[in-house]
């Protein structure tokens, strides 16, 4: 082969692909820049858009918190990126987030990534809009009224007490996070869907837990449904869950009246469709039930695991919780086993502050997705119509001026009330505005009962010390939080 042939071969092998790649990057940059609305004089936020088609999705999925912290340090509280196939602006800080959350239906509308919409389905609350969303939320909220929560308290207490008794006999090492997920899953299945997982057998329960974990791991995927892709695996796991839920729905339809004495959220949805003369849509019911299970156990499992971590690292805070329980007659003597109720739980102010501080430092859901309905102006930048907007919960907590010594675990910061205007959007673990978490009161009651039972029955040691937390998409400890549990002596 002659010299000229070698040169031509080298050009074809190396130079031509490089030139094509550089051309693709240049075209990508021009495409991203063309998204700016010329009718608005403001510039786009700073930031980068990543690789053609993929954007910065791969970096975000692989690095998560590290990627987001780097972006915040480099570009500030508002920056552009390209995630899950869409140009995106990420927003943080109380004032910026307030603008987004209070602009629902006027400036922005909810729009989760295509993979989330596909897996959870169009019939779930998160993907409904305007009147449909308002109507469905009103029905579901009946399952979280104060009277309904009162019915749930003994069920939660029973499940938590039985679980902690098992932990105390688990030996020198227990992986907390998987155990808490199983506990919260059983509670959500019983209360939200009226399903008795223990009666279905441990194999059936474990199959459902594993299917949920697989579905949630793949919620945020590239929107490519081919064998072995994240979306494909997520849909396959979702179908297993839907099959089990459909069995439960058909059993409810045959039974007519609930066995538990209270009506769960799924029962209320079924009655609503029947009462209005609407045809019962099995697919929408399955999607709504799946969403309730997702919101009702993954997020509370994350928060409860963080509670164990923080209380394990701050024994002085645990002792203050126990002192509050002692004052209320809940720590020792014959009242130790007395049933909790809503009135007693509402009196546990310091315990409530411990939960708030946990949610401030480690919010289970890192943020929410919206889409700009029109080009909007935010803090000197434009967000073009049609772009995705992510408001960050974790970053907003991190940068809030309201909190001093932000990295310190200090529940006392919530004991004194803050001015409403300054605190409303500085602390948003449940989101805000029209789309604040529908089950937030349920979550607060559940976490408070969990904290009470944990504090009055267990002492524990974190075997690996402070955990490293990861987001995927819910916040969790990388090492599953190994710990050793022993019985609490009753002495403060």
């Amino acid at each position: 082969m002659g010299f000229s042939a070698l040169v031509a071969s080298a050009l074809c092998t190396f130079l031509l692909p490089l030139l094509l790649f550089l051309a693709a990057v240049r075209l990508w940059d021009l495409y991203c820049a063309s998204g700016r609305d010329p009718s608005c004089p403001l510039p786009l936020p700073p930031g980068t858009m990543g690789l053609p088609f993929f954007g910065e999705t791969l970096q975000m999925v692989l690095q998560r918190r590290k990627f987001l912290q780097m972006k915040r340090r480099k570009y500030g509280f508002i920056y552009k990126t390209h995630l899950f196939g869409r140009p995106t602006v990420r927003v943080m800080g109380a004032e910026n987030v307030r603008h987004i959350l209070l602009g629902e239906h006027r400036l922005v509308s909810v729009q989760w990534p295509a993979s989330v919409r596909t897996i959870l389905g169009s019939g779930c609350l998160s993907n409904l809009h305007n009147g449909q969303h308002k109507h469905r939320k009103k029905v579901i909220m009946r399952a979280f009224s104060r009277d309904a929560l009162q019915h749930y308290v003994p069920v939660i207490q029973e499940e938590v007490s039985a679980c902690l008794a098992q932990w105390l006999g688990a030996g020198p090492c227990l992986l907390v996070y998987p155990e808490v997920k199983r506990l919260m899953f059983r509670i959500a299945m019983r209360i939200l869907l009226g399903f008795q997982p223990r009666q279905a057998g441990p194999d059936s329960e474990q199959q459902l837990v594993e299917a949920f974990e697989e579905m949630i791991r793949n919620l945020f995927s590239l929107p490519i449904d081919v064998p072995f892709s994240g979306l494909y695996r997520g849909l396959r796991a979702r179908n297993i869950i839907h099959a089990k839920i459909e069995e439960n729905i058909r059993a409810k339809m045959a039974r007519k009246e609930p066995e538990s004495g209270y009506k769960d959220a799924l029962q209320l949805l079924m009655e609503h469709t029947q009462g209005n003369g609407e045809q019962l849509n099995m697919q929408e019911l399955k999607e709504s039930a799946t969403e309730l299970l997702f919101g009702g156990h993954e997020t509370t499992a994350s928060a409860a695991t963080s509670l164990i971590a923080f209380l394990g690292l701050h024994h002085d805070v645990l002792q203050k919780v126990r002192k509050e329980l002692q004052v209320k007659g809940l720590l020792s003597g014959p009242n130790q086993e007395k049933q909790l109720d809503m009135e007693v739980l509402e009196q546990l102010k310091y315990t409530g502050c411990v939960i708030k501080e946990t949610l401030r430092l480690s919010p289970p859901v890192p943020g929410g997705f919206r889409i700009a309905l029109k080009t909007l102006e935010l803090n000197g930048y434009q967000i073009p119509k049609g772009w995705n907007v992510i408001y960050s919960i974790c970053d907003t907590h991190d940068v809030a001026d309201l909190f001093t010594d932000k990295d310190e675990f200090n529940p006392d910061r919530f004991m004194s009330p803050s001015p409403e205007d300054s605190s409303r959007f500085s602390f948003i673990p449940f989101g805000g505005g029209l789309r604040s978490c529908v089950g937030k009161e349920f979550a607060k009651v559940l976490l408070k009962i969990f904290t009470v039972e944990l504090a009055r029955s267990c002492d524990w040691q974190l075997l690996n010390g402070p955990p490293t937390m990861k987001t995927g998409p819910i916040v969790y400890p990388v090492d599953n939080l190994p710990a050793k549990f022993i019985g609490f002596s009753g002495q403060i």
Side-chain angles (χ1 to χ4, degrees), residues 67-81 89-100 366-368 378-379 383 389-400 425-426 428:
F67 170 80
L68 297 176
Q69 288 174 343
M70 178 273 292
K71 286 284 189 179
R72 188 178 87 194
R73 285 195 300 268
K74 192 170 183 179
Y75 299 116
F77 290 6
I78 304 175
Y79 59 82
K80 68 183 179 187
T81 178
V89 173
R90 187 173 167 88
V91 172
M92 66 199 74
E95 269 306 300
N96 295 328
V97 168
R98 181 188 67 81
H99 199 69
I100 298 300
L378 187 63
N379 203 17
I383 301 178
V389 182
I390 299 177
Y391 73 89
S392 173
I393 293 174
C394 53
D395 286 314
T396 296
H397 289 182
D398 285 349
V399 302
F425 293 97
S426 293
I428 49 170

Side-chain angles (χ1 to χ4, degrees), residues 197-378:
R198 293 183 189 277
Q199 293 179 10
D203 292 341
S204 179
E205 179 185 335
Q206 185 60 27
Q207 183 190 28
L208 275 172
V209 170
E210 289 175 357
F212 250 94
E213 289 177 356
E214 180 72 1
M215 184 188 81
I216 289 157
R217 268 196 302 269
N218 294 289
L219 263 183
F220 293 87
S221 307
L222 288 172
I224 306 171
D225 185 11
V226 295
F228 309 111
S229 69
L231 181 59
Y232 176 85
R233 293 195 300 270
L235 286 169
R236 188 173 60 178
R238 192 266 327 258
N239 292 339
I240 294 172
I241 297 162
H242 276 195
K244 292 290 184 182
I245 290 173
E246 184 169 345
E247 288 179 19
N248 192 37
I249 291 171
R250 296 197 182 281
K252 283 178 179 289
M253 292 168 66
R255 193 167 57 239
K256 300 296 184 184
E257 289 297 323
E259 295 177 343
S260 55
Y262 62 86
K263 293 180 179 178
D264 53 73
L266 181 58
Q267 184 77 36
L268 290 169
L269 279 174
M270 291 170 60
E271 288 182 0
H272 171 72
T273 57
Q274 292 165 336
N276 285 359
E278 303 169 15
Q279 185 176 359
L280 195 66
N281 186 324
M282 180 64 73
Q283 184 63 24
E284 286 187 358
L285 284 172
K286 288 190 292 187
E287 289 172 357
S288 293
T290 302
E291 183 183 34
L292 283 169
L293 275 182
F294 169 58
H297 95 278
E298 279 288 334
T299 54
T300 52
S302 171
T305 302
S306 295
L307 266 167
I308 291 173
F310 284 126
L311 291 176
L313 293 169
H314 301 274
H315 195 257
D316 57 322
V317 174
L318 177 59
Q319 292 295 77
K320 289 181 75 170
V321 170
R322 287 171 172 162
K323 286 179 181 177
E324 182 175 63
L325 298 181
Q326 188 177 51
V327 169
K328 301 299 179 183
L330 297 171
L331 191 60
S332 59
N335 287 333
Q336 168 78 35
E337 301 301 324
K338 84 172 183 180
Q339 294 293 311
L340 298 172
D341 58 33
M342 288 296 293
E343 185 177 352
V344 170
L345 291 171
E346 287 165 353
Q347 295 172 10
L348 300 176
K349 302 299 184 185
Y350 184 75
T351 303
C353 292
V354 171
I355 294 167
K356 285 182 178 180
E357 181 70 341
T358 298
L359 295 175
R360 182 187 72 83
L361 281 169
S362 188
V365 179
F369 285 79
R370 299 291 187 269
I371 186 171
L373 296 176
K374 61 182 181 181
T375 298
L376 54 117
E377 300 178 2
L378 187 63

Side-chain angles (χ1 to χ4, degrees), residues 21 24-26 28 49-55:
F21 174 74
V25 170
R26 178 59 180 161
W28 176 253
M49 305 299 269
L51 297 172
F53 179 68
F54 293 103

Side-chain angles (χ1 to χ4, degrees), residues 314 357 360-361 397-414:
H314 301 274
E357 181 70 341
R360 182 187 72 83
L361 281 169
H397 289 182
D398 285 349
V399 302
D401 292 332
L402 179 70
F403 305 120
T404 58
D405 301 319
K406 296 181 179 66
D407 295 333
E408 181 184 340
F409 183 74
N410 176 24
D412 286 288
R413 74 173 80 244
F414 286 101

